[in-house]
Amino acid sequence: GFYFYNNYRVKRHYYNYGRKVYQQSQGENSEMIIGETGITVKDEATDASYKWSAFIRKYERNDVYYLYMSSNLALIIPKRVFNSVTERESFEKMLAQYLPLQVDLPVVNK
């Protein structure tokens, strides 16, 4: 029982942390460039580039994408950054093209 409880607590912690990051990012002035080589994120304090090969797992919720680089580190991409359905569909095609099939996790609707 302890193993399952501990596993639940760890997942819940990262879920809550992801929600906090997502909510705090609403007022930021940042830029995300998604292209053939990967994803580049720029804001006032940072400039980070991620190759597609860096991502090992993808998890999608109603309002956000999580692109995991390890079991406890993920790039969080709110769906609101896409200005149109076409942009979001283009991003999803890139995910399908550059991430292997085994990286998909089930979509959870909450």
Side-chain angles (χ1 to χ4, degrees):
F2 178 74
Y3 170 78
F4 293 110
Y5 174 74
N6 195 30
N7 191 22
Y8 166 78
R9 294 289 300 151
V10 168
K11 287 181 181 178
R12 194 74 188 153
H13 167 76
Y14 285 112
Y15 168 75
N16 288 334
Y17 182 73
R19 266 182 83 196
K20 178 181 170 189
V21 169
Y22 173 78
Q23 290 169 351
Q24 289 176 348
S25 71
Q26 290 182 2
E28 287 185 7
N29 184 15
S30 60
E31 176 182 19
M32 182 175 292
I33 303 166
I34 302 168
E36 302 294 322
T37 58
I39 300 174
T40 302
V41 181
K42 297 178 182 181
D43 64 21
E44 296 172 0
T46 60
D47 184 1
S49 294
Y50 305 95
K51 293 182 180 181
W52 288 113
S53 60
F55 303 111
I56 60 170
R57 186 170 296 132
K58 175 186 76 168
Y59 179 66
E60 180 182 349
R61 294 186 55 85
N62 287 340
D63 54 353
V64 69
Y65 295 98
Y66 294 91
L67 301 180
Y68 283 89
M69 293 168 272
S70 69
S71 61
N72 61 355
L73 178 65
L75 178 62
I76 301 170
I77 303 175
K79 289 183 178 179
R80 70 172 183 268
V81 302
F82 301 103
N83 295 323
S84 67
V85 173
T86 307
E87 281 186 4
R88 195 166 95 195
E89 288 174 350
S90 176
F91 173 68
E92 290 176 355
K93 285 180 186 177
M94 285 189 150
L95 290 178
Q97 179 180 356
Y98 292 110
L99 274 70
L101 293 175
Q102 67 267 23
V103 303
D104 283 334
L105 290 175
V107 176
V108 176
N109 296 320
K110 286 191 177 184

